[in-house]
Amino acid sequence: MADPFSLTAGAVSVIATAIQVCQALISYCNAWTSFDGDIGNTSEKLNGLRLTLEILKDIMPKLDSLDPSAAPMLENVTKRILSCNKGVDQLREALIKLQPIGSSSGLRQSLQNLKQQSLYPFRKDMLQGLRSTVIDMQANLDSAVQVLEL
């Protein structure tokens, strides 16, 4: 069995990165919410994932002090969190490709926003893939939370 402390530290790192990526993607989606309801749905899913990650971020450090008999449970939860690492990477890649819309004003920013809007139909599939990744990660983390509730 792996060292529980190092597993927990790795899980907390995945959680922290996932929270940052989710927040950036939520900002992106919120800038587009009025453009398409599909984006609003993606934003809601991202926010749900972020909230679950925030809960796990608070709980994980406390789990190190559990009775040693709880080590298998902790390892199960940690592995579920670590398995989200691929999803976090996919979300990060999507964020880089989507280039969030700026909130500043001016002609240059208006033209940039217009360009982003014109590209939306081509990015819709990417957003649907992003939503699928979020749903998969959420299901995995929900299972981890359920284990912790036992």
Side-chain angles (χ1 to χ4, degrees):
M1 186 182 304
D3 173 29
F5 180 73
S6 63
L7 281 175
T8 302
V12 170
S13 174
V14 169
I15 290 169
T17 302
I19 289 170
Q20 290 175 342
V21 172
C22 282
Q23 287 172 330
L25 285 167
I26 289 167
S27 295
Y28 176 84
C29 288
N30 286 343
W32 286 88
T33 300
S34 62
F35 191 68
D36 188 288
D38 202 30
I39 293 175
N41 182 276
T42 301
S43 180
E44 288 174 16
K45 301 259 186 255
L46 281 162
N47 198 43
L49 177 61
R50 184 191 58 80
L51 292 173
T52 302
L53 290 162
E54 293 281 356
I55 290 167
L56 287 168
K57 180 182 171 187
D58 291 340
I59 291 173
M60 288 305 292
K62 298 172 188 168
L63 295 179
D64 285 332
S65 62
L66 286 178
D67 185 319
S69 66
M73 177 196 67
L74 177 59
E75 188 172 352
N76 181 320
V77 169
T78 303
K79 284 181 179 179
R80 289 180 184 276
I81 294 168
L82 292 173
S83 72
C84 291
N85 208 17
K86 181 179 177 185
V88 173
D89 289 342
Q90 290 171 339
L91 295 179
R92 186 182 299 120
E93 288 172 17
L95 178 61
I96 291 167
K97 289 177 184 175
L98 292 172
Q99 300 173 0
I101 296 174
S103 59
S104 63
S105 59
L107 180 60
R108 173 175 254 164
Q109 189 61 52
S110 295
L111 290 173
Q112 182 68 18
N113 291 350
L114 186 59
K115 175 185 165 192
Q116 292 277 3
Q117 289 176 352
S118 66
L119 291 174
Y120 173 73
F122 303 105
R123 293 185 170 165
K124 192 168 186 167
D125 288 341
M126 183 192 317
L127 285 169
Q128 289 171 341
L130 184 145
R131 188 170 49 250
S132 175
T133 299
V134 169
I135 290 169
D136 291 346
M137 288 175 65
Q138 183 70 54
N140 206 10
L141 295 176
D142 285 346
S143 297
V145 171
Q146 286 177 350
V147 168
L148 290 172
E149 290 177 353
L150 293 176

